[in-house]
Amino acid sequence: MKVNGKHYRTVSMEQQTIYMINQNLLPFKFEIVSLNSLQESCEAINNMIVRGAGAIGSAAGFALAQAALKASKKSYLQEIEFAKKAIENTRPTAQNLFSATNFVFKAALESPEKAYHAAQNFAQRDVDACRKIGINGNSIITSNMCIATHCNAGWLAFTDYGSALSPIYEAKNLGKKPFVYVDETRPRGQGARLTAWELQQESVPHRIIVDNAAAFFMQRGEIDMYIVGADRIAINGDTANKIGTLEKAIVAYEFGIPFYVAAPISTIDFSCKSGKEIPIEFRSEREVLYQSGFDKEGIWREILIASPNSMAINPAFDVTPAQYITGYITEYGILSAEELTDYIGLDAN
Ligand code: MRU
């Protein structure tokens, strides 16, 4: 990914330290944090310094490798088992987190060094898969297309490239001039804050729209296609993604607008038969009731934006039934829901 022209990865690890771009501060401040313990790494995933399914996956793999490298020889097995549980308790919905902990745990049973290599390998696979998603997804983008997206499934949500935005970057680099409608994505504003910032860094023309405006633009024929990411896909194709995705998919279906989900195979939960089995994270009501950012003096502020003393409820994801999804843009091509099962086990080797 490019930040002011320089290449970065969202999350990386060297020796026993994990590095993450602090996404809570973007787009106001670009800062990389270093995490030196299991507790720090788990907190960073839980409080969304790193977020987005692929980036969470790589961070989880690195966190387990970090725990293995730091574990004492005497209590090695107990320590890595404890670490796996602690990491898996940070965020319940993104399947990539569990793909990563299972993959790295197997290697950790052999040695801490093997765990480290497995975690690096997992992160690199995420990069390679997203690159291919870009190439495959580009095939359905025509010149001057107006594409809408929800939340942030760009390179900040992965180790690099991204899922939903990767085809858009590929199309832009090939001169197809895509234009992007960016749903702001309440409550945390991943669209307005992160996707818009990313698109700016990559010089892709775009406009932020309030979540409620998406149907307006679809009805006017100004959106040619939706591409969104995914946090977990059941084997029947039902897809959990940021809250609000379901509504966009139903409206797109009503207006005959293609609605694609872009995700690597590591996002598919092959043990999950349908969306009903996907656990949905509920987050703090503060995310709904308050907005935060830097004021003119550069001081971080939280402001109450709702009626004082009212309570809120805050599901972070919803599940879009497969019937509303036109296709799945993966590293293996653009698949139908029925084709997903052909890839069982491919991410586990
Ligand atoms: O809660 P977040 O920001 O971790 O949400 C996850 C997401 O980023 C989105 O749902 C995204 O569209 C899919 S993750 C690639």
Side-chain angles (χ1 to χ4, degrees), residues 35-148:
L35 306 151
N36 291 300
S37 67
L38 174 68
Q39 196 187 340
E40 283 179 7
S41 302
C42 287
E43 275 171 17
I45 299 173
N46 182 256
N47 67 28
M48 294 174 69
I49 283 179
V50 68
R51 34 82 30 215
I56 291 174
S58 293
F62 287 142
L64 187 50
Q66 182 182 55
L69 289 169
K70 285 180 181 288
S72 80
K73 277 198 184 139
K74 272 194 199 157
S75 54
Y76 182 74
L77 186 59
Q78 293 95 302
E79 287 190 50
I80 58 169
E81 279 174 345
F82 174 84
K84 183 170 184 283
K85 276 201 193 113
I87 297 161
E88 289 178 346
N89 282 334
T90 55
R91 298 211 54 200
T93 303
Q95 173 61 20
N96 306 55
L97 184 151
F98 301 92
S99 300
T101 50
N102 288 328
F103 184 71
V104 175
F105 187 75
K106 254 196 241 160
L109 288 175
E110 293 185 44
S111 73
E113 292 70 31
K114 289 224 165 125
Y116 179 81
H117 288 298
Q120 294 288 4
N121 186 0
F122 189 89
Q124 185 57 43
R125 285 183 187 201
D126 180 70
V127 175
D128 298 341
C130 287
R131 176 80 190 95
K132 286 186 194 143
I133 286 170
I135 295 167
N136 294 335
N138 167 60
S139 66
I140 51 169
I141 299 180
T142 53
S143 292
N144 300 308
M145 231 183 189
C146 291
I147 302 164

Side-chain angles (χ1 to χ4, degrees), residues 125-195:
R125 285 183 187 201
D126 180 70
V127 175
D128 298 341
C130 287
R131 176 80 190 95
K132 286 186 194 143
I133 286 170
I135 295 167
N136 294 335
N138 167 60
S139 66
I140 51 169
I141 299 180
T142 53
S143 292
N144 300 308
M145 231 183 189
C146 291
I147 302 164
T149 191
H150 191 68
C151 194
N152 173 265
W155 40 251
L156 285 166
F158 286 83
T159 317
D160 206 345
Y161 293 107
S163 57
L165 298 187
S166 186
I168 294 171
Y169 296 142
E170 182 71 10
K172 186 250 165 191
N173 291 336
L174 293 171
K176 290 186 181 173
K177 301 193 171 143
F179 177 90
V180 183
Y181 284 98
V182 178
D183 294 343
E184 65 170 344
T185 321
R186 283 278 291 143
R188 291 182 68 100
Q190 288 95 328
R193 290 181 179 220
L194 303 177
T195 298

Side-chain angles (χ1 to χ4, degrees), residues 188-210:
R188 291 182 68 100
Q190 288 95 328
R193 290 181 179 220
L194 303 177
T195 298
W197 181 79
E198 256 199 61
L199 292 172
Q200 249 175 53
Q201 299 296 319
E202 302 287 337
S203 307
V204 177
H206 60 278
R207 290 284 185 280
I208 298 165
I209 59 174
V210 295

Side-chain angles (χ1 to χ4, degrees), residues 299-316:
I299 296 167
W300 186 259
R301 301 255 186 231
E302 272 199 337
I303 331 164
L304 179 67
I305 54 156
S307 174
N309 306 321
S310 284
M311 290 171 76
I313 182 161
N314 183 18

